[in-house]
Amino acid sequence: MKFFADTSDLDAIKDLADLGMLDGVTTNPSIIAKSGKEFLPLIKEICGICEGPVSAEVASTDFDTMMKEGKKLASLADNIAVKVPLTEAGLKVCKNLTDAGKMVNVTLCFSPLQAVLAAKAGATFISPFVGRLDDIGNEGMDLIHEIAAIYDNYPDFHTEILVASIRHPQHILQSAKLGADVITAPPEAIKKMYNHPLTDKGLAAFVEDWKKTGQSIL
Ligand code: G3P
């Protein structure tokens, strides 16, 4: 299971890389806007830190401009995955860039049928947004279940399921149980996976008991 960081925060990306918990990075226009930084230099910098795929999203919605933007983004580094929206034009861009040997992440997926289209367009990754489905009263993880079941039926589909819009560790746990290839999550959600009150309690007791021995390992 691969962990992608859904952020453009360089310190957070470095931190996860140092922990060995970083297999890739995803960004989107909202994340870039929040950073307040210049898009292209920022993406290049992320690609310098992260060896795995770094998703950089096109900004236009028409085929011709998306193609130009996608080619430019792909030229920034070998590990760029061009992110395109799940629209007819976006899937056409996906097919063209995939045929040209580029990685493509198809984003804003909210239905299993959309995921089928992305796989047929040759997407490297499909990004179903689980949190945003939860937000409107749906069960986001049901979508992952359905996509996984469909993709399993067709060995010629090579698209990886990249669970996106993750809000908390439960989403990560469910993704793992369903065999999702990748999760992309805010670094805080990944860090929360370390936490368990019994670990803290157990460690505190071990530290106290060790003090009583009066010994030192070093
Ligand atoms: O990167 C796309 C996705 O992860 C966005 O998440 O929290 O804005 O729904 P969110």
Side-chain angles (χ1 to χ4, degrees):
M1 183 184 204
K2 287 177 266 191
F3 282 4
F4 288 6
D6 199 24
T7 186
S8 64
D9 180 329
L10 297 173
D11 289 336
I13 291 168
K14 279 182 200 143
D15 181 44
L16 283 175
D18 288 346
L19 285 166
M21 295 294 166
L22 184 78
D23 301 302
V25 171
T26 52
T27 63
N28 61 38
S30 305
I31 287 172
I32 298 301
K34 196 173 148 200
S35 78
K37 294 186 177 172
E38 280 291 312
F39 181 34
L40 301 186
L42 178 57
I43 291 293
K44 271 187 130 167
E45 206 168 346
I46 294 172
C47 287
I49 302 168
C50 176
E51 289 177 12
V54 174
S55 289
E57 189 159 343
V58 297
S60 303
T61 55
D62 67 284
F63 172 75
D64 289 335
T65 320
M66 273 196 282
M67 271 307 290
K68 284 182 197 150
E69 290 176 345
K71 282 180 187 168
K72 183 162 182 180
L73 291 172
S75 73
L76 294 177
D78 288 341
N79 56 333
I80 289 283
V82 178
K83 213 170 172 188
V84 299
L86 209 155
T87 59
E88 195 170 338
L91 290 182
K92 199 171 159 191
V93 173
C94 173
K95 186 190 166 4
N96 277 269
L97 290 178
T98 301
D99 287 350
K102 307 298 180 193
M103 285 191 286
V104 179
N105 177 357
V106 177
T107 189
L108 292 168
C109 171
F110 294 96
S111 86
L113 289 175
Q114 288 181 319
V116 170
L117 293 174
K120 287 187 69 64
T124 315
F125 304 106
I126 181 67
S127 289
F129 278 31
V130 294
R132 292 192 193 184
L133 283 168
D134 291 351
D135 289 346
I136 61 161
N138 290 9
E139 187 56 65
M141 293 312 301
D142 286 352
L143 176 58
I144 306 307
H145 194 266
E146 285 183 286
I147 297 172
I150 292 168
Y151 281 11
D152 276 352
N153 286 339
Y154 299 99
D156 56 324
F157 283 177
H158 300 299
T159 301
E160 294 190 23
I161 301 174
L162 192 170
V163 184
S165 186
I166 279 181
R167 303 282 166 75
H168 45 69
Q170 269 300 323
H171 279 148
I172 302 175
L173 175 61
Q174 294 304 320
S175 300
K177 284 182 172 178
L178 292 170
D181 303 287
V182 192
I183 56 96
T184 190
E188 316 82 70
I190 295 173
K191 285 296 196 80
K192 281 181 188 164
M193 293 169 67
Y194 285 100
N195 300 337
H196 197 289
L198 290 180
T199 303
D200 298 340
K201 193 178 166 195
L203 182 59
F206 287 158
V207 168
E208 280 312 305
D209 287 343
W210 180 251
K211 274 186 206 158
K212 288 178 205 160
T213 72
Q215 298 179 48
S216 164
I217 295 172
L218 299 176

